[in-house]
Amino acid sequence: MDLEEKIAGEIVISDDPGSTMRKWREEFRITQQELGRYMGISPSVISDYELGRRKSPGLKMIRKFVLSLIAIDIGRGGEIVKRFKKNYGSDAIMDIREFWRLVSREEIVKILNGENLNEKADMKKPVYGYTMIDSLRAILEFNSNDYLKIYGWSNERALIFTGVKFGRSPMVAIRAHPLKPGMVIFARPENVDSLSIRLAELEGLPLVVTRLEDGEIIKRLRNL
């Protein structure tokens, strides 16, 4: 079961959803103030839910609550998420998710305030999910089985690499492997070199650069 589904499910079926929300917030070691800032609501609203002063939260509120917990943790390094997601194998896989609807490459670029460096790529094609990967950990830890895990249910997905300097290593690995993603995204690279762009052109893949922090990337993509 996906961690998001586990948390949301516990809240929905709980006889005391507010106390369950509090349990998970404290499990993630997030204060009401920090969570409120991230969700764009007053900390008193969170307190009211937790103490039962407000009626049970609706599905929209629960989804926003859960996504915020996960995104804040990812922004801190993902300690709690990793603890609950050991079934993903290597810690290099920071997050993995399938989309609930059809999403185009072009939409992903817009959502992440990205810049596509391969103008030849077809941006109308759909992607069906995303995987965020810690590039350095992947180099040090990945085995062949871990490489297959990054593709989830479909290889037509966005592979998001953090900790990238020039982008050569991820693009060379993609070029060498028969299984290809739907698009490649570098989060805050130092400088993408011409070889990386050329490899993206040869594979027909969008090569996108975003300056967003990891937690914000997770938040935006999980809201799709």
Side-chain angles (χ1 to χ4, degrees):
M1 178 183 290
D2 183 274
L3 178 59
E4 178 187 330
E5 294 174 352
K6 173 180 173 60
I7 300 172
E10 283 193 15
I11 296 171
V12 169
I13 67 174
S14 175
D15 292 332
D16 187 352
S19 66
T20 305
M21 291 172 70
R22 178 178 179 178
K23 180 197 81 169
W24 279 106
R25 177 180 61 77
E26 292 179 345
E27 180 71 39
F28 276 78
R29 299 196 290 274
I30 297 171
T31 66
Q32 291 177 345
Q33 289 74 20
E34 184 179 10
L35 184 59
R37 282 196 302 272
Y38 201 89
M39 294 177 67
I41 61 177
S42 169
S44 64
V45 174
I46 297 171
S47 177
D48 286 346
Y49 276 121
E50 292 183 353
L51 295 175
R53 291 194 292 256
R54 283 178 178 255
K55 66 178 182 179
S56 297
L59 292 178
K60 185 176 181 180
M61 177 64 182
I62 292 172
R63 176 171 167 76
K64 189 174 183 180
F65 171 82
V66 174
L67 292 178
S68 296
L69 293 180
I70 292 172
I72 291 171
D73 185 64
I74 291 291
R76 295 173 172 176
E79 177 187 351
I80 308 300
V81 170
K82 288 173 185 175
R83 194 172 79 217
F84 281 96
K85 292 190 173 184
K86 290 187 181 297
N87 60 310
Y88 284 165
S90 171
D91 284 344
I93 300 177
M94 300 169 63
D95 195 40
I96 184 169
R97 186 74 175 166
E98 312 305 318
F99 294 137
W100 294 357
R101 63 176 178 84
L102 202 61
V103 180
S104 70
R105 294 168 165 180
E106 185 176 46
E107 186 176 356
I108 296 292
V109 176
K110 290 180 180 178
I111 286 171
L112 299 183
N113 298 340
E115 177 188 2
N116 176 31
L117 304 182
N118 178 14
E119 297 179 354
K120 300 177 182 179
D122 181 357
M123 301 306 292
K124 301 297 183 183
K125 285 187 175 181
V127 288
Y128 301 104
Y130 72 88
T131 306
M132 180 177 280
I133 302 161
D134 183 321
S135 298
L136 181 58
R137 281 184 176 272
I139 292 171
L140 297 174
E141 300 176 7
F142 262 15
N143 56 40
S144 57
N145 189 44
D146 287 326
Y147 191 87
L148 292 176
K149 286 182 180 179
I150 69 176
Y151 286 109
W153 292 351
S154 171
N155 64 296
E156 290 294 333
R157 66 197 305 106
L159 295 188
I160 307 166
F161 294 92
T162 69
V164 171
K165 288 189 175 182
F166 308 112
R168 288 190 178 190
S169 295
M171 291 309 304
V172 168
I174 289 169
R175 176 68 171 167
H177 200 278
L179 206 57
K180 311 296 182 183
M183 65 190 301
V184 177
I185 301 171
F186 293 158
R188 307 174 309 283
E190 288 187 12
N191 183 36
V192 180
D193 68 10
S194 58
L195 175 60
S196 300
I197 298 172
R198 179 56 180 154
L199 291 174
E201 290 174 346
L202 290 172
E203 295 296 339
L205 297 174
L207 179 57
V208 178
V209 170
T210 178
R211 295 296 167 187
L212 297 178
E213 295 296 325
D214 297 343
E216 184 63 21
I217 293 172
I218 297 293
K219 177 184 177 183
R220 295 188 183 195
L221 291 180
R222 280 182 170 256
N223 273 322
L224 284 174

Short mmCIF file of all heavy atoms in Angstrom, two decimals, residues 116-121 166-168 171-172 174-175 186 192-207:
data_model
loop_
_atom_site.label_atom_id
_atom_site.label_comp_id
_atom_site.label_asym_id
_atom_site.label_seq_id
_atom_site.Cartn_x
_atom_site.Cartn_y
_atom_site.Cartn_z
N ASN A 116 12.64 23.37 -20.94
CA ASN A 116 12.98 22.20 -21.73
C ASN A 116 14.16 22.53 -22.64
O ASN A 116 14.09 23.45 -23.46
CB ASN A 116 11.77 21.77 -22.58
CG ASN A 116 12.11 20.61 -23.49
OD1 ASN A 116 12.94 19.77 -23.17
ND2 ASN A 116 11.46 20.55 -24.64
N LEU A 117 15.25 21.77 -22.49
CA LEU A 117 16.47 22.04 -23.25
C LEU A 117 16.51 21.31 -24.59
O LEU A 117 17.41 21.55 -25.39
CB LEU A 117 17.69 21.65 -22.42
CG LEU A 117 17.81 22.31 -21.04
CD1 LEU A 117 19.09 21.87 -20.35
CD2 LEU A 117 17.76 23.83 -21.16
N ASN A 118 15.55 20.41 -24.81
CA ASN A 118 15.48 19.69 -26.09
C ASN A 118 14.24 20.14 -26.85
O ASN A 118 13.15 19.60 -26.66
CB ASN A 118 15.45 18.18 -25.86
CG ASN A 118 15.32 17.40 -27.18
OD1 ASN A 118 15.53 17.96 -28.26
ND2 ASN A 118 14.99 16.13 -27.08
N GLU A 119 14.40 21.11 -27.70
CA GLU A 119 13.27 21.69 -28.42
C GLU A 119 12.68 20.74 -29.46
O GLU A 119 11.58 20.97 -29.96
CB GLU A 119 13.70 22.99 -29.09
CG GLU A 119 14.12 24.08 -28.10
CD GLU A 119 14.56 25.35 -28.80
OE1 GLU A 119 14.64 25.33 -30.06
OE2 GLU A 119 14.83 26.35 -28.11
N LYS A 120 13.40 19.67 -29.78
CA LYS A 120 12.92 18.72 -30.79
C LYS A 120 11.93 17.70 -30.21
O LYS A 120 11.28 16.98 -30.97
CB LYS A 120 14.11 17.98 -31.41
CG LYS A 120 15.12 18.89 -32.10
CD LYS A 120 16.30 18.09 -32.62
CE LYS A 120 17.33 19.01 -33.28
NZ LYS A 120 18.51 18.23 -33.77
N ALA A 121 11.82 17.62 -28.91
CA ALA A 121 10.98 16.61 -28.27
C ALA A 121 9.49 16.94 -28.44
O ALA A 121 9.10 18.11 -28.43
CB ALA A 121 11.32 16.49 -26.79
N PHE A 166 26.27 18.14 -14.00
CA PHE A 166 26.25 18.42 -15.44
C PHE A 166 25.26 17.55 -16.20
O PHE A 166 24.94 17.83 -17.34
CB PHE A 166 27.65 18.25 -16.02
CG PHE A 166 28.70 19.02 -15.29
CD1 PHE A 166 29.68 18.38 -14.56
CD2 PHE A 166 28.69 20.41 -15.30
CE1 PHE A 166 30.64 19.09 -13.86
CE2 PHE A 166 29.64 21.14 -14.61
CZ PHE A 166 30.62 20.47 -13.88
N GLY A 167 24.80 16.46 -15.58
CA GLY A 167 23.77 15.63 -16.19
C GLY A 167 24.27 14.49 -17.04
O GLY A 167 23.46 13.75 -17.60
N ARG A 168 25.56 14.32 -17.13
CA ARG A 168 26.08 13.26 -18.01
C ARG A 168 25.73 11.86 -17.52
O ARG A 168 25.28 11.02 -18.30
CB ARG A 168 27.60 13.38 -18.14
CG ARG A 168 28.06 14.56 -18.96
CD ARG A 168 29.54 14.47 -19.25
NE ARG A 168 29.99 15.57 -20.09
CZ ARG A 168 31.19 15.62 -20.66
NH1 ARG A 168 32.05 14.64 -20.46
NH2 ARG A 168 31.53 16.65 -21.40
N MET A 171 22.09 10.68 -18.12
CA MET A 171 21.77 10.55 -19.54
C MET A 171 22.54 9.39 -20.19
O MET A 171 22.01 8.71 -21.07
CB MET A 171 22.07 11.86 -20.27
CG MET A 171 21.13 13.00 -19.90
SD MET A 171 19.36 12.57 -20.02
CE MET A 171 19.24 12.01 -21.72
N VAL A 172 23.77 9.16 -19.76
CA VAL A 172 24.53 8.02 -20.30
C VAL A 172 23.86 6.71 -19.88
O VAL A 172 23.74 5.77 -20.68
CB VAL A 172 25.99 8.06 -19.81
CG1 VAL A 172 26.70 6.74 -20.11
CG2 VAL A 172 26.73 9.21 -20.47
N ILE A 174 20.68 6.24 -19.18
CA ILE A 174 19.43 6.11 -19.95
C ILE A 174 19.74 5.68 -21.38
O ILE A 174 19.05 4.84 -21.95
CB ILE A 174 18.66 7.44 -19.92
CG1 ILE A 174 18.08 7.67 -18.52
CG2 ILE A 174 17.54 7.46 -20.97
CD1 ILE A 174 17.53 9.06 -18.30
N ARG A 175 20.77 6.25 -21.95
CA ARG A 175 21.16 5.91 -23.33
C ARG A 175 21.55 4.44 -23.43
O ARG A 175 21.23 3.77 -24.42
CB ARG A 175 22.34 6.80 -23.75
CG ARG A 175 22.92 6.50 -25.13
CD ARG A 175 21.96 6.85 -26.23
NE ARG A 175 22.61 6.75 -27.54
CZ ARG A 175 21.95 6.76 -28.71
NH1 ARG A 175 20.63 6.89 -28.71
NH2 ARG A 175 22.60 6.67 -29.85
N PHE A 186 16.07 17.51 -14.38
CA PHE A 186 17.17 17.76 -13.45
C PHE A 186 16.73 18.85 -12.48
O PHE A 186 16.33 19.94 -12.89
CB PHE A 186 18.42 18.21 -14.19
CG PHE A 186 19.05 17.16 -15.07
CD1 PHE A 186 19.89 17.52 -16.11
CD2 PHE A 186 18.82 15.82 -14.85
CE1 PHE A 186 20.48 16.56 -16.93
CE2 PHE A 186 19.39 14.84 -15.65
CZ PHE A 186 20.23 15.21 -16.69
N VAL A 192 24.01 22.18 -17.12
CA VAL A 192 23.80 21.02 -18.00
C VAL A 192 24.68 21.17 -19.23
O VAL A 192 24.61 22.17 -19.95
CB VAL A 192 22.32 20.92 -18.43
CG1 VAL A 192 22.12 19.72 -19.34
CG2 VAL A 192 21.43 20.81 -17.20
N ASP A 193 25.53 20.16 -19.47
CA ASP A 193 26.47 20.29 -20.59
C ASP A 193 25.85 19.84 -21.91
O ASP A 193 24.76 19.25 -21.96
CB ASP A 193 27.77 19.55 -20.30
CG ASP A 193 27.62 18.04 -20.25
OD1 ASP A 193 26.55 17.52 -20.62
OD2 ASP A 193 28.59 17.37 -19.85
N SER A 194 26.55 20.11 -22.98
CA SER A 194 26.04 19.86 -24.33
C SER A 194 25.86 18.38 -24.62
O SER A 194 24.98 17.99 -25.38
CB SER A 194 26.97 20.49 -25.37
OG SER A 194 28.29 19.97 -25.24
N LEU A 195 26.69 17.52 -24.00
CA LEU A 195 26.56 16.08 -24.22
C LEU A 195 25.22 15.57 -23.70
O LEU A 195 24.55 14.76 -24.35
CB LEU A 195 27.71 15.32 -23.54
CG LEU A 195 27.62 13.79 -23.62
CD1 LEU A 195 27.61 13.31 -25.06
CD2 LEU A 195 28.76 13.14 -22.84
N SER A 196 24.81 16.05 -22.53
CA SER A 196 23.53 15.64 -21.96
C SER A 196 22.38 16.02 -22.89
O SER A 196 21.45 15.23 -23.11
CB SER A 196 23.33 16.29 -20.59
OG SER A 196 24.34 15.90 -19.70
N ILE A 197 22.44 17.22 -23.42
CA ILE A 197 21.39 17.69 -24.33
C ILE A 197 21.39 16.86 -25.61
O ILE A 197 20.34 16.47 -26.12
CB ILE A 197 21.58 19.18 -24.64
CG1 ILE A 197 21.46 20.00 -23.35
CG2 ILE A 197 20.55 19.65 -25.67
CD1 ILE A 197 21.81 21.47 -23.51
N ARG A 198 22.58 16.56 -26.12
CA ARG A 198 22.69 15.76 -27.34
C ARG A 198 22.12 14.36 -27.13
O ARG A 198 21.41 13.83 -28.01
CB ARG A 198 24.16 15.67 -27.77
CG ARG A 198 24.40 14.83 -29.02
CD ARG A 198 23.59 15.33 -30.20
NE ARG A 198 23.82 14.52 -31.39
CZ ARG A 198 22.94 14.39 -32.38
NH1 ARG A 198 21.76 15.02 -32.32
NH2 ARG A 198 23.22 13.65 -33.43
N LEU A 199 22.38 13.76 -25.98
CA LEU A 199 21.85 12.42 -25.69
C LEU A 199 20.32 12.46 -25.59
O LEU A 199 19.64 11.54 -26.05
CB LEU A 199 22.46 11.88 -24.39
CG LEU A 199 23.94 11.53 -24.45
CD1 LEU A 199 24.45 11.13 -23.07
CD2 LEU A 199 24.20 10.40 -25.45
N ALA A 200 19.80 13.53 -25.01
CA ALA A 200 18.34 13.68 -24.94
C ALA A 200 17.74 13.79 -26.33
O ALA A 200 16.68 13.22 -26.62
CB ALA A 200 17.99 14.91 -24.10
N GLU A 201 18.42 14.51 -27.22
CA GLU A 201 17.94 14.65 -28.60
C GLU A 201 17.96 13.30 -29.31
O GLU A 201 17.01 12.96 -30.04
CB GLU A 201 18.81 15.65 -29.34
CG GLU A 201 18.63 17.09 -28.86
CD GLU A 201 19.61 18.05 -29.51
OE1 GLU A 201 20.60 17.58 -30.12
OE2 GLU A 201 19.40 19.27 -29.39
N LEU A 202 19.01 12.52 -29.10
CA LEU A 202 19.11 11.21 -29.74
C LEU A 202 18.00 10.27 -29.28
O LEU A 202 17.50 9.44 -30.05
CB LEU A 202 20.47 10.59 -29.46
CG LEU A 202 21.68 11.24 -30.15
CD1 LEU A 202 22.98 10.64 -29.62
CD2 LEU A 202 21.59 11.06 -31.67
N GLU A 203 17.60 10.41 -28.01
CA GLU A 203 16.56 9.55 -27.45
C GLU A 203 15.15 10.13 -27.67
O GLU A 203 14.16 9.47 -27.37
CB GLU A 203 16.79 9.34 -25.95
CG GLU A 203 18.06 8.58 -25.62
CD GLU A 203 18.04 7.15 -26.13
OE1 GLU A 203 16.95 6.61 -26.39
OE2 GLU A 203 19.13 6.56 -26.28
N GLY A 204 15.08 11.36 -28.16
CA GLY A 204 13.77 11.99 -28.36
C GLY A 204 13.08 12.35 -27.06
O GLY A 204 11.84 12.37 -26.99
N LEU A 205 13.86 12.64 -26.02
CA LEU A 205 13.31 12.90 -24.69
C LEU A 205 13.39 14.38 -24.32
O LEU A 205 14.42 15.01 -24.55
CB LEU A 205 14.07 12.10 -23.63
CG LEU A 205 14.00 10.58 -23.71
CD1 LEU A 205 14.92 9.97 -22.66
CD2 LEU A 205 12.58 10.10 -23.52
N PRO A 206 12.34 14.92 -23.72
CA PRO A 206 12.48 16.25 -23.13
C PRO A 206 13.52 16.21 -22.01
O PRO A 206 13.53 15.27 -21.21
CB PRO A 206 11.09 16.54 -22.56
CG PRO A 206 10.17 15.59 -23.26
CD PRO A 206 10.99 14.37 -23.55
N LEU A 207 14.39 17.19 -21.97
CA LEU A 207 15.36 17.33 -20.89
C LEU A 207 15.06 18.66 -20.20
O LEU A 207 15.30 19.72 -20.76
CB LEU A 207 16.79 17.30 -21.42
CG LEU A 207 17.90 17.45 -20.37
CD1 LEU A 207 17.80 16.38 -19.30
CD2 LEU A 207 19.27 17.41 -21.04
#
